[in-house]
Amino acid sequence: MILTRIRLMKRMSLELNKIYNEDCLATMARMPDNFVDCIITSPPYWQLRDYGYDGQWGLEMTFQKYLEHLWSMMDEIYRVLKSTGTVWINLGDTYARTGGNSIGKKQPNALLGNTQKGIRGGNCHGVEGIKDKCLLLIPHRFAIGCIERGWILRNDIVWAKRNGMPESCTDRFSKKHEYFFFLVKSEKYYFELESIKDKCKPINRWGGNKI
């Protein structure tokens, strides 16, 4: 099996234990069907950071276009993933904003449509009436789209950040979590719970003896 995989990778000009700095779709296009055991990735979040190169994901005019890019990635992952394989996707969310000057605070007008009487309406690519400051629920939209494409969503894992970055907002709670989505393509897949279990560390927040 190992020799077969090495021969395949030589034919595809891919090497083991090597980082390929290129479009993920281009890399996966050189892989055969049912080839990969596990994929772990965290795509750029929408409208939160400019990495400084043309065609980057995360700076699309609308979050729907951003999601379409992610779903195109998931379609290709579905092809190269083994039936026993697993996929782990980390995604953060974004608020609808039209004020300010920095990434994440001034999104394209195409996001919210026209402004009438202070309420941002418009079609927003099939989503009506998204107002300024609204949490867009991008991770959830992504997960639902994956399910509609045939993926099986096994868990939405909350990554709780005990020392998350502080936020300057004063009219909502700070976001101190992100999501990991655990997806598979078939009902039978490799999963060994014992090997990833971690010891529980009880925290006594109220004083006195631990319960």
Side-chain angles (χ1 to χ4, degrees), residues 81-109:
L81 188 72
K82 293 180 180 179
S83 61
T84 54
T86 59
V87 179
W88 310 78
I89 309 288
N90 170 221
L91 273 184
D93 215 339
T94 307
Y95 285 90
R97 293 294 302 274
T98 54
N101 297 313
S102 62
I103 294 292
K105 291 187 177 180
K106 188 176 183 181
Q107 295 163 0
N109 291 334

Side-chain angles (χ1 to χ4, degrees), residues 24-37:
C24 64
L25 297 180
T27 304
M28 287 190 289
R30 297 202 296 267
M31 297 179 182
D33 297 350
N34 306 311
F35 182 65
V36 181
D37 291 297

Side-chain angles (χ1 to χ4, degrees), residues 7 31 38 62 67 92 125 163 179 192:
R7 293 191 190 102
M31 297 179 182
C38 180
T62 66
L67 288 171
H125 284 250
N163 298 309
Y179 289 96
E192 187 179 340

Side-chain angles (χ1 to χ4, degrees), residues 53-117:
Y53 64 92
D54 294 336
Q56 61 183 297
W57 291 4
L59 295 185
E60 294 84 352
M61 289 295 291
T62 66
F63 67 80
Q64 183 63 32
K65 185 64 177 177
Y66 167 71
L67 288 171
E68 288 172 2
H69 279 154
L70 295 188
W71 289 327
S72 68
M73 175 190 71
M74 294 303 295
D75 291 342
E76 191 66 3
I77 288 176
Y78 196 94
R79 181 186 67 80
V80 303
L81 188 72
K82 293 180 180 179
S83 61
T84 54
T86 59
V87 179
W88 310 78
I89 309 288
N90 170 221
L91 273 184
D93 215 339
T94 307
Y95 285 90
R97 293 294 302 274
T98 54
N101 297 313
S102 62
I103 294 292
K105 291 187 177 180
K106 188 176 183 181
Q107 295 163 0
N109 291 334
L111 167 66
L112 300 175
N114 297 325
T115 301
Q116 296 179 354
K117 297 181 180 179

Side-chain angles (χ1 to χ4, degrees), residues 78 146-147 150-155 182-187:
Y78 196 94
C146 289
I147 294 171
W151 287 96
I152 300 173
L153 178 62
R154 297 299 289 134
N155 286 111
F182 169 30
L183 303 112
V184 297
K185 60 187 289 185
S186 63
E187 296 181 14

